[in-house]
Amino acid sequence: MLQQEIAAQLDRRQAVATLLRDRGDLLVITGLGSPAYDAMAAGDHDRTFYLWGAMGGAAMMGLGLALARPQERVAVITGDGEQLMGVGGLLTIGAVLPKNLAVVVLDNRHYGETGMQPSHTALGIDLVGIARASGFAWCHSVTDPRGLEELRSHLHEAQGPGFASILVKPDSPSRALPPRDGVELKNRFRRQLGLATI
Amino acid sequence: MNEDEMQAALRSEHAQTPWQDVLFEGLKRGGIRQVPYVPDAGHSHVIRRAQAEVGMKAYPLTTEEEGIAALCGAWLGGERGVLLMQSSGVGNCINMLSLLASCRFPFLTIVTMRGECGEFNPWQVPMGRATPAVLAAMGVTVHRIDCAEDVANTIDLAIHDAFLSEQQIAVLLSQRLLGRKNWTD
């Protein structure tokens, strides 16, 4: 097995703070674990839905949301382990081709929440290549701050579906815990879209 | 008309219509907009009609659990959907069903049954037998349709309960309704 030797320099907290700066009307779904903490640390928002479970479901949740809100932009921010568990979802997104959806993977090449075991991306699996082969309209591998700024503007403007893998340092910054009442997360999200809650 | 008379009228109206069309019309009447599916012969008619229907988005999945997450996203954005799958796919969904319970997402799935009476393939039997128990264990209410006359009413009630009472509903289409798969052609 191939252990890739790429020195990641980007800090995950700063990367997510950059992506969500001046986020406007952006709708955000986060995968469970560190991506949820990173998004929370960047500032809690009614237009962010944090997953606390349902591993492998973040990108597909983004697809359902993007299809329901074609006039708005949807960004999924998740981790390499979470995306690998639902890798078929990338194929489904490629089959549907929603223009307003972007999937961003914070790739630290490890399962940070469960003991830092190396993930498949540490062993040579190329998620950007999978997205490209699935027909995503744009696919980026982000390794520096300039690439992050470009990705931020793509989240708001580029015709998708888009996919980006951001290579981040495999550290675990302190947890910034989002609310974990799923019913409330769901209702506040719908409320700010003007949708009825039960 | 009282409730019984309305149901009798509904049954009479649909008496001459194939149950697959009745099912699709029920979904349409119920405001279903997203139809993620895993291909299945029993669902093929509804899939075709959903694909042809303006205002509906029917899309294939690589595995059934994707559809659960997609429908939760759809509801966050204000759309109703239905997941079409086979009983064998229910087993693929178990952990993702926890998303429905944790957030009380409304949920509707229509499941074609395998492994019941008239099954030729014994490999379908274990999951078919476990399907109602697995769904119930994850908090999903299970309804079963055994005959064509019950399709319209059961689908209407399932949509009502799912989206107005935020319940999680599975409607099983029994092998008695679907008929035997022909293995001898």
Side-chain angles (χ1 to χ4, degrees), chain A residues 29 49 51 54-55 57 60-61 63-65 67-69 88-89 91-92 96 182-183 186 189-190 193 195 198, chain B residues 34 57 59-62 66 69-70 72-79 95-96 99 102-105 164-166:
Chain A
I29 307 280
F49 186 89
L51 284 171
M55 191 165 174
M60 284 303 297
M61 203 164 182
L63 173 62
L65 176 59
L67 291 175
R69 311 294 297 186
L91 282 62
T92 296
V96 178
V183 177
K186 174 193 67 174
F189 196 100
R190 282 176 56 88
L193 287 174
L195 299 166
I198 193 166
Chain B
Q34 294 196 30
K57 288 152 285 199
Y59 48 94
L61 309 167
T62 70
E66 291 173 10
C72 292
W75 182 250
L76 278 185
E79 282 194 342
N95 184 51
M96 201 60 80
L99 177 57
S102 300
C103 303
R104 215 172 59 216
F105 274 111
L164 297 180
S165 283
E166 289 195 328

Side-chain angles (χ1 to χ4, degrees), chain A residues 26-147:
Chain A
L26 190 67
L27 299 168
V28 176
I29 307 280
T30 81
L32 75 168
S34 295
Y37 313 146
D38 296 336
M40 182 69 190
D44 192 20
H45 199 291
D46 286 356
R47 286 188 169 232
T48 299
F49 186 89
Y50 310 93
L51 284 171
W52 277 92
M55 191 165 174
M60 284 303 297
M61 203 164 182
L63 173 62
L65 176 59
L67 291 175
R69 311 294 297 186
Q71 305 308 319
E72 295 175 77
R73 306 287 302 202
V74 178
V76 172
I77 301 177
T78 190
D80 48 315
E82 203 276 344
Q83 189 57 66
L84 286 162
M85 190 167 279
V87 77
L90 296 180
L91 282 62
T92 296
I93 291 166
V96 178
L97 294 175
K99 293 182 170 63
N100 57 332
L101 174 65
V103 178
V104 177
V105 171
L106 302 168
D107 187 0
N108 71 353
R109 305 183 173 229
H110 290 81
Y111 291 91
E113 195 71 10
T114 53
M116 289 305 271
Q117 301 87 350
S119 73
H120 285 53
T121 59
L123 303 170
I125 300 306
D126 176 11
L127 276 173
V128 179
I130 292 171
R132 191 174 290 119
S134 302
F136 276 64
W138 53 267
C139 300
H140 291 174
S141 182
V142 176
T143 55
D144 59 33
R146 207 175 66 176

Side-chain angles (χ1 to χ4, degrees), chain A residues 10 15-16 18-20 26 73 75-77 102-106 138-158 162-167:
Chain A
L10 290 174
V16 172
T18 299
L19 291 182
L20 295 180
L26 190 67
R73 306 287 302 202
V76 172
I77 301 177
V103 178
V104 177
V105 171
L106 302 168
W138 53 267
C139 300
H140 291 174
S141 182
V142 176
T143 55
D144 59 33
R146 207 175 66 176
L148 272 180
E149 288 293 343
E150 189 186 3
L151 175 58
R152 194 189 77 80
S153 72
H154 269 55
L155 296 184
H156 294 278
E157 291 157 19
F163 183 91
S165 168
I166 304 175
L167 196 56

Side-chain angles (χ1 to χ4, degrees), chain B residues 8-9 11 36-38 51 53 55 61 67-68 91 93-95 101-102 104 124 128 132 141 149 160-161 166 172 179:
Chain B
R11 272 198 298 276
Y37 65 88
V38 174
Q51 283 169 332
E53 183 70 29
L61 309 167
I68 295 171
C93 292
I94 297 173
N95 184 51
S102 300
R104 215 172 59 216
Q124 291 284 355
T141 300
E149 295 72 41
H160 177 278
D161 291 355
E166 289 195 328
L172 311 185

Side-chain angles (χ1 to χ4, degrees), chain B residues 141-156:
Chain B
T141 300
V142 178
H143 298 300
R144 167 185 287 271
I145 301 179
D146 282 308
C147 59
E149 295 72 41
D150 290 341
V151 169
N153 193 38
T154 304
I155 294 297
D156 281 351

